[in-house]
C-alpha cells in the first residue's frame, strides 16, 4: 500500500510517475510534528535496520548517524561526511514491519537516523513544502519494488556501456587516447570506452572540441570506433561567458540561464572562468541545452558524462570580493591579524557556498524560484536535458549518459557515478555498500572510480577494486590529474590485470541480462543479504557481501595484505573462483563461515542452490562476446533465463530477447 501526505505547496520534482491520492489525518507510520518547516518522527525497536539514502557514506544499514540531503562537491569525504553529490530521500525501515518512506522535496533535508536519540528517526527540513510517500509491504524487496514502480523504470544504457572503460583527468591529445587503446589491445586487456575529461574541449567550453588537438574530430571518433572504442566526453554545468561563443550568446538572448533576483544572469567561476548556468528546471531551457549534445553525436559520439552539476561553484564575484576585502584589510595591518582564522575560513567557504545558491534563481512556468529551494534538482535536470534530447533525436536508440549529481527521478534518464572518491580501502568498502542503497532509489547504472580518483593508489588496491568493479554496471578506472598513474600498464605484473578484467567479459551476458531484467521488473540488481535471508541474524549484519540478481552472492576482498577473507554463507552455495590460473574448479561449501583464499587475480563468486549462470568466452570488447557460445556453471538441473537483445534498441519485451538455458 502507498500513502501520500501533502504539505504546503511542493515544487513539482517529477520524481514520482503515478498519481497517488492524498491521505488526510494521522500517518500510517510515525507522526508529523507541528511547527515551522517539516518534521517527522518515529520510534524504532532496538534491532530495526534502516536502508536506503542512495549515495551516502557508511554502511548498508544506515542507522546511527545523521545524513543531510544537500548535493555537494566534496571529494574529501569520510565516515562523518553528511552529504555527497546526490540527494536520495528514500529510506526503508526494516523490523517487525517493512516501511518505505520517500520525502519528495528538493531543498536541504536532514535524516537523523538514531543519531540524536538512538531509538528515534527524526527527519526534518526548513522547507515545509513536500509530498511524503509511505509504502507498506510484507518484506523489504516488495517495498522497494512498489517504490520503484512509483518512480518509473530505470535507465538502460547501450550494451557497450557494460564494457571496461579507462579514464584519467589529463588525457588531452589524440596521442594520449591512442596510447590507452594501443596498450590495452597489445596486452589483450579488454576495453570498450575511453573517457574524455575537460581537456578535450576548447577552453572548457561545453559542446566544443579543441581545434588544435582535434582538427577533424569525426575522423578521430571513427578511428577509435574502428578499434571498437567509444570515446565518452564530459559535459560541465557552467557555460563560459565569452562573446562570440554561440551557446553563451543564445542562452543570454533567450533568457535560458539562471539569474539573480533582478533577472540578470547569475555568474559563477568554474573551470572555464566565469560562467552562467543553464536554467535546467525550465523545460524550454532544458530542451535548448539538451539540443547541443547533437553537435557531438553528429560527430559519432554515443555517450557522455555530466559533471559539476550540483552545481559546483569555485567562487562567485560576490564571495571573491568579500574575501579580497578581508585580505586587503589584513595587508594594511602591521600587527598580526586579530582573527587569524578568518581569512583561511573565507577562502575555504568561497566554494559551493549556500549564500550563492540563495542569490541564484530559476524561472519555471512564469515563476521565479530561488535555487536554494530546489538545489538538489540541478543534476537531475542536466541528466534529463541529455536524456530527453537523445529521445527526441533518435527515439529508437539507447545512448550512454551518467552524471555526478542526482535526485530520484534522474534514474529514468541516466546513471550516476559515485563522484570523486579516494584511493583508500575504506572507499572501496563504501563503493560496495552504496550499490544496494542506490539500487533501492532506482539507480542501477552506477559504479565508482575504480582504484580511486584522488590520492595515490597501490597495485593491490587497484586489483581488489577492479575485482569489485567486475560486477558494477559502470566499470571505469578513473583518476585525478597529479595522482599516481593507474592505467593497468603502469604497474608491474600486468597479467593479473588482464585476468581480472577478462572476468568482466566472461560475466558480461550474465551481468547485462541481470541488469536489464532488474530494470524491466523494477527490482534491485544488488541486494543486502538481509533481504534474501530475513530470518538469519548473521546475514542481517553482513556489510561486505552482496546478493547479485537471484543467482549469486559476491564477496570481494576489501582489506590490504589479505590473502583471502572470511565469508558467510546463509545457505549452502557453490564457490566459483573466476580469473586466477583458470584451473580451479568450483566447489560446494556448506552454510556457515569459511575462510577462502583469494589471489590478487581472482574473483570469487557464489552461486545459490538450484541456480546457474552463463559464462562467455572473454572477448577484447563487448561486441566480440558471442552470446551463442555460453557455458553454464552452477547446480545441475537448474535453468537460467538470459536476456540478450541487439544492445541498442528499446524493444526490450520482444520474445526473442529471452532465452531459457538449462544446465
Ligand atoms: O573540479 O573534470 O568528479 O571525475 O575528473 C573537478 C575534472 C572537476 C570532477 C569530476 C572528476 C573529473 C574532474 N571534475
Amino acid at each position: 500500500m502507498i500513502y501520500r501526505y501533502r504539505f504546503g505547496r511542493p515544487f513539482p520534482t517529477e520524481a514520482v510517475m503515478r498519481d497517488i491520492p492524498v491521505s488526510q489525518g494521522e500517518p500510517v507510520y510515525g507522526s508529523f510534528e507541528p511547527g515551522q518547516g517539516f518534521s517527522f518522527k518515529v520510534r524504532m525497536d532496538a534491532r530495526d535496520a534502516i536502508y536506503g539514502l542512495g549515495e551516502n557514506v557508511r554502511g548498508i544499514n544506515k542507522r546511527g548517524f545523521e545524513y543531510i540531503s544537500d548535493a555537494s562537491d566534496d571529494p574529501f569525504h569520510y565516515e562523518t561526511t553528511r552529504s555527497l553529490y546526490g540527494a536520495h530521500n528514500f529510506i526503508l525501515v526494516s523490523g517487525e514491519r517493512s516501511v518505505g518512506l520517500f520525502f519528495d522535496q528538493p531543498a536541504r533535508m536532514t535524516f537523523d537516523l538514531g543519531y540524536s536519540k538512538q531509538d528515534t528517526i527524526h527527519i526534518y527540513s526548513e522547507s515545509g513544502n513536500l509530498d511524503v510517500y509511505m509504502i507498506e509491504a510484507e518484506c523489504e524487496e516488495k517495498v522497494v519494488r512498489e517504490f520503484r514502480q512509483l518512480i518509473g523504470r530505470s535507465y538502460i544504457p547501450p550494451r557497450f556501456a557494460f564494457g571496461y572503460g579507462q579514464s584519467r583527468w589529463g588525457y588531452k591529445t589524440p596521442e594520449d587516447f591512442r596510447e590507452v587503446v594501443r596498450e590495452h589491445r597489445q596486452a589483450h586487456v579488454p576495453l570498450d570506452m575511453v573517457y574524455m575529461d575537460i581537456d578535450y574541449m576548447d577552453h572548457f567550453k561545453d559542446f566544443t572540441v579543441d581545434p588544435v588537438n582535434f582538427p577533424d574530430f569525426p575522423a578521430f571518433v571513427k578511428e577509435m570506433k574502428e578499434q571498437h572504442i567509444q570515446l565518452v566526453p564530459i559535459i560541465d554545468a557552467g557555460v563560459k561567458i565569452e562573446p562570440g561563443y554561440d551557446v553563451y550568446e543564445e542562452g543570454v538572448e533567450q533568457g535560458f540561464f539562471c539569474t539573480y533576483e533582478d533577472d540578470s544572469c547569475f555568474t559563477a567561476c568554474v573551470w572555464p572562468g566565469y560562467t552562467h548556468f543553464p536554467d535546467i528546471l525550465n523545460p524550454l531551457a532544458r530542451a535548448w541545452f539538451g539540443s547541443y549534445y547533437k553537435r557531438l553525436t553528429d560527430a559519432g559520439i554515443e555517450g557522455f558524462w555530466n559533471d559539476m552539476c550540483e552545481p559546483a561553484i569555485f567562487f562567485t564575484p560576490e564571495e571573491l570580493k568579500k574575501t579580497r576585502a578581508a585580505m586587503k584589510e589584513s595587508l594594511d595591518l602591521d600587527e598580526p591579524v586579530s582573527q587569524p582564522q578568518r581569512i583561511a575560513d573565507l577562502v575555504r567557504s568561497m566554494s559551493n557556498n549556500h549564500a550563492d545558491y540563495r542569490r541564484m534563481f530559476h524561472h519555471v512556468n512564469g515563476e521565479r524560484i530561488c535555487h536554494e529551494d530546489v538545489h538538489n534538482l540541478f543534476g537531475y535536470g542536466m541528466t534529463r536535458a541529455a536524456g530527453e534530447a537523445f529521445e527526441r533525436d533518435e527515439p529508437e536508440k539507447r545512448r550512454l549518459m551518467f552524471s555526478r549529481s542526482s535526485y530520484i527521478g534522474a534514474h529514468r534518464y541516466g546513471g550516476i557515478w559515485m563522484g570523486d572518491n579516494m584511493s583508500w580501502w575504506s572507499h572501496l568498502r563504501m563503493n560496495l555498500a552504496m550499490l544496494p542503497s542506490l539500487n533501492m532509489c532506482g539507480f542501477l547504472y552506477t559504479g565508482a572510480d575504480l582504484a580511486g580518483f584522488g590520492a595515490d593508489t597501490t597495485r593491490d588496491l587497484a586489483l581488489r577494486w577492479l575485482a569489485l568493479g567486475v560486477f558494477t554496471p559502470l566499470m571505469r578506472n578513473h583518476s585525478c590529474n597529479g595522482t599516481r598513474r593507474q592505467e593497468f600498464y603502469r604497474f608491474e605484473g600486468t597479467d593479473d590485470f588482464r585476468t581480472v578484467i577478462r572476468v568482466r567479459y566472461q560475466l558480461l551476458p550474465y551481468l547485462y541480462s541481470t541488469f536489464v531484467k532488474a530494470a524491466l521488473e523494477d527490482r534491485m540488481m544488488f541486494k543486502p543479504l538481509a533481504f534474501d535471508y530475513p530470518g538469519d541474524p548473521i546475514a542481517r549484519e553482513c556489510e561486505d557481501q552482496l546478493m547479485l540478481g537471484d543467482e549469486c552472492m559476491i564477496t570481494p576482498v576489501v582489506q590490504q595484505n589479505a590473502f583471502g577473507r572470511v565469508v558467510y554463507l546463509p545457505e549452502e552455495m557453490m564457490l566459483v573462483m573466476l580469473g586466477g590460473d583458470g584451473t580451479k574448479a568450483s566447489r560446494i561449501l556448506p552454510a556457515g563461515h569459511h575462510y577462502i583464499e583469494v589471489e590478487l587475480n581472482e574473483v570469487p563468486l557464489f552461486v545459490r542452490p538450484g541456480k546457474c549462470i552463463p559464462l562467455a568466452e572473454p572477448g577484447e570488447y563487448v561486441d566480440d562476446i558471442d552470446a551463442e557460445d555460453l557455458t553454464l556453471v552452477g547446480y545441475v538441473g537448474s535453468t537460467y533465463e538470459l536476456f540478450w537483445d541487439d544492445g541498442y534498441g528499446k524493444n526490450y519485451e520482444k520474445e526473442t530477447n529471452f532465452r531459457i538455458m538449462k544446465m
Side-chain angles (χ1 to χ4, degrees):
M1 257 317 263
I2 306 186
Y3 305 87
R4 175 190 192 181
Y5 305 91
R6 170 159 276 218
F7 299 88
R9 237 185 106 234
F11 181 85
T13 65
E14 296 174 87
V16 163
M17 299 292 282
R18 286 172 52 203
D19 195 24
I20 307 290
V22 175
S23 301
Q24 307 292 342
E26 289 301 301
V28 290
Y29 184 69
S31 57
F32 299 122
E33 313 273 304
Q36 287 232 307
F38 170 81
S39 173
F40 167 82
K41 276 189 182 165
V42 65
R43 286 277 302 275
M44 289 179 279
D45 287 339
R47 295 194 170 216
D48 286 356
I50 307 172
Y51 303 103
L53 282 189
E55 188 178 57
N56 260 299
V57 300
R58 295 193 172 229
I60 298 173
N61 182 351
K62 289 265 167 305
R63 183 168 177 166
F65 194 58
E66 177 186 77
Y67 306 85
I68 299 177
S69 284
D70 178 18
S72 329
D73 173 12
D74 185 0
F76 302 97
H77 46 271
Y78 313 93
E79 203 171 305
T80 44
T81 300
R82 284 168 168 75
S83 314
L84 294 180
Y85 301 84
H88 308 129
N89 295 349
F90 173 75
I91 64 166
L92 196 170
V93 188
S94 146
E96 287 272 291
R97 315 159 68 177
S98 288
V99 185
L101 303 168
F102 176 46
F103 300 86
D104 189 9
Q105 76 96 2
R108 183 188 169 94
M109 180 144 217
T110 304
F111 291 78
D112 179 336
L113 307 180
Y115 171 72
S116 299
K117 283 190 77 200
Q118 283 203 327
D119 71 348
T120 306
I121 294 177
H122 185 198
I123 294 161
Y124 57 95
S125 61
E126 244 174 67
S127 161
N129 300 309
L130 73 161
D131 280 311
V132 179
Y133 295 86
M134 295 192 178
I135 303 170
E136 284 194 308
E138 68 252 42
C139 67
E140 291 92 344
E141 235 197 309
K142 289 221 167 110
V143 171
V144 170
R145 198 164 189 183
E146 284 210 31
F147 178 58
R148 294 271 304 280
Q149 284 166 351
L150 186 67
I151 59 175
R153 180 186 284 179
S154 298
Y155 160 79
I156 303 175
R159 187 155 59 224
F160 74 76
F162 290 82
Y164 177 58
Q166 178 60 51
S167 183
R168 175 156 173 107
W169 178 8
Y171 298 155
K172 196 175 165 65
T173 66
E175 192 39 39
D176 293 337
F177 297 97
R178 287 189 186 115
E179 179 190 38
V180 172
V181 178
R182 192 166 54 235
E183 291 283 357
H184 283 79
R185 292 290 182 250
Q186 265 170 16
H188 302 292
V189 173
L191 184 72
D192 271 272
M193 287 156 288
V194 185
Y195 288 81
M196 307 185 93
D197 208 319
I198 48 176
D199 297 305
Y200 82 89
M201 291 186 235
D202 177 16
H203 295 90
F204 307 128
K205 283 181 284 188
D206 277 340
F207 312 111
T208 70
V209 174
D210 182 351
V212 179
N213 280 323
F214 301 99
D216 188 349
F217 189 58
F220 184 60
V221 176
K222 188 159 167 271
E223 174 192 325
M224 289 289 126
K225 279 198 177 172
E226 277 160 9
Q227 299 173 71
H228 307 277
I229 296 296
Q230 297 279 353
L231 289 171
V232 184
I234 195 170
I235 301 294
D236 275 10
V239 173
K240 185 173 175 59
I241 299 178
E242 186 184 278
Y245 169 38
D246 55 358
V247 185
Y248 159 73
E249 291 199 332
E250 281 173 32
V252 171
E253 205 179 283
Q254 310 212 43
F256 284 160
F257 289 125
C258 292
T259 69
Y260 295 104
E261 199 162 11
D262 71 359
D263 285 350
S264 61
C265 293
F266 176 86
T267 299
C269 187
V270 257
W271 288 109
Y274 280 123
T275 65
H276 296 322
F277 292 131
D279 189 356
I280 219 75
L281 301 183
N282 167 353
L284 293 175
R286 191 160 69 226
W288 163 77
F289 190 78
S291 68
Y292 289 112
Y293 286 84
K294 194 159 164 26
R295 292 209 171 148
L296 293 159
T297 53
D298 281 349
I301 294 295
E302 298 183 44
F304 299 88
W305 47 312
N306 281 344
D307 191 19
M308 305 294 274
C309 43
E310 291 71 28
I313 293 177
F314 293 168
F315 57 82
T316 59
E318 293 79 6
E319 293 299 307
L320 182 62
K321 204 165 144 198
K322 226 166 60 187
T323 309
R324 281 166 91 157
M327 283 192 175
K328 189 153 184 302
E329 198 182 299
S330 83
L331 282 175
D332 292 343
L333 286 175
D334 287 336
E335 292 154 45
V337 267
S338 52
Q339 297 161 288
Q341 277 276 303
R342 192 162 157 247
I343 288 186
D345 283 350
L346 269 173
V347 171
R348 257 195 299 271
S349 70
M350 280 202 304
S351 56
N352 309 320
N353 191 318
H354 273 269
D356 288 320
Y357 296 143
R358 285 191 286 273
R359 291 185 187 108
M360 178 174 156
F361 290 83
H362 297 271
H363 296 260
V364 187
N365 306 327
E367 255 189 272
R368 186 191 296 115
I369 293 163
C370 183
H371 179 74
E372 180 79 352
D373 298 329
V374 289
H375 172 65
N376 292 331
L377 292 180
F378 200 94
Y380 170 15
M382 226 177 126
T383 312
R384 189 168 173 179
E388 287 175 340
F390 299 162
E391 184 75 32
R392 277 195 305 272
D393 194 24
E394 245 182 311
E396 299 310 320
K397 197 169 165 189
R398 281 132 68 188
R399 285 194 186 137
L400 172 59
M401 158 53 45
F402 61 92
S403 296
R404 192 169 70 176
S405 188
S406 60
Y407 182 85
I408 290 171
H411 71 285
R412 299 193 299 269
Y413 302 96
I416 55 172
W417 88 99
M418 295 171 181
D420 294 348
N421 57 14
M422 289 289 189
S423 298
W424 296 340
W425 292 86
S426 61
H427 278 191
L428 163 56
R429 287 190 280 275
M430 190 171 75
N431 177 178
L432 181 138
M434 255 192 233
L435 289 166
S437 314
L438 281 169
N439 279 191
M440 287 175 218
C441 298
F443 294 92
L444 295 182
Y445 190 74
T446 187
D449 290 349
L450 302 175
F453 176 74
D456 293 334
T457 199
T458 58
R459 181 177 185 272
D460 54 350
L461 178 58
L463 282 164
R464 292 303 195 196
W465 212 326
L466 285 166
L468 168 62
V470 152
F471 298 106
T472 62
L474 167 63
M475 184 190 186
R476 180 176 77 144
N477 177 339
H478 180 48
S479 57
C480 185
N481 224 337
T483 60
R484 181 180 186 179
R485 300 292 302 239
Q486 61 189 42
E487 297 90 354
F488 84 89
Y489 48 90
R490 308 278 175 182
F491 297 100
E492 72 212 84
T494 52
D495 285 0
D496 288 343
F497 287 85
R498 178 190 317 113
T499 306
V500 170
I501 296 168
R502 277 162 72 102
V503 170
R504 163 63 159 227
Y505 286 71
Q506 282 181 280
L507 284 168
L508 199 114
Y510 173 63
L511 293 171
Y512 179 69
S513 168
T514 304
F515 178 99
V516 177
K517 286 195 290 180
L520 298 182
E521 295 164 15
D522 298 305
R523 298 182 61 199
M524 295 162 73
M525 181 166 172
F526 296 100
K527 278 173 290 180
L529 268 57
F531 284 25
D532 281 338
Y533 305 96
D536 180 336
I538 302 176
R540 281 188 82 83
E541 288 175 20
C542 192
E543 290 266 350
D544 60 356
Q545 305 179 185
L546 293 174
M547 304 311 296
L548 163 60
D550 290 327
E551 299 79 18
C552 297
M553 180 174 80
I554 63 168
T555 61
V557 176
V558 291
Q559 183 190 317
Q560 188 160 29
N561 298 318
F563 295 99
R565 58 163 289 170
V566 174
V567 295
Y568 176 66
L569 273 55
E571 61 183 327
E572 171 206 295
M573 288 186 196
M574 182 183 290
L575 169 59
V576 180
M577 194 59 93
L578 298 160
D581 58 13
T583 57
K584 268 187 205 148
S586 51
R587 61 199 156 110
I588 291 177
L589 298 179
H593 283 98
H594 302 271
Y595 179 84
I596 58 164
E597 288 194 3
V598 186
E599 301 286 343
L600 279 175
N601 64 4
E602 288 181 327
V603 181
L605 180 67
F606 286 90
V607 180
R608 299 176 71 172
K611 303 285 182 187
C612 64
I613 65 162
L615 291 180
E617 286 301 314
E620 304 240 338
Y621 45 89
V622 167
D623 279 344
D624 201 15
I625 298 289
D626 183 359
E628 301 301 321
D629 180 20
L630 302 175
T631 318
L632 293 170
V633 291
Y635 286 82
V636 179
S638 59
T639 56
Y640 179 74
E641 183 183 43
L642 182 77
F643 173 90
W644 194 259
D645 63 347
D646 60 8
Y648 272 102
K650 296 182 180 171
N651 190 2
Y652 304 107
E653 275 86 6
K654 201 169 83 183
E655 238 172 82
T656 52
N657 289 342
F658 297 87
R659 192 187 327 156
I660 305 279
M661 307 181 66
K662 194 161 164 35
M663 179 145 184

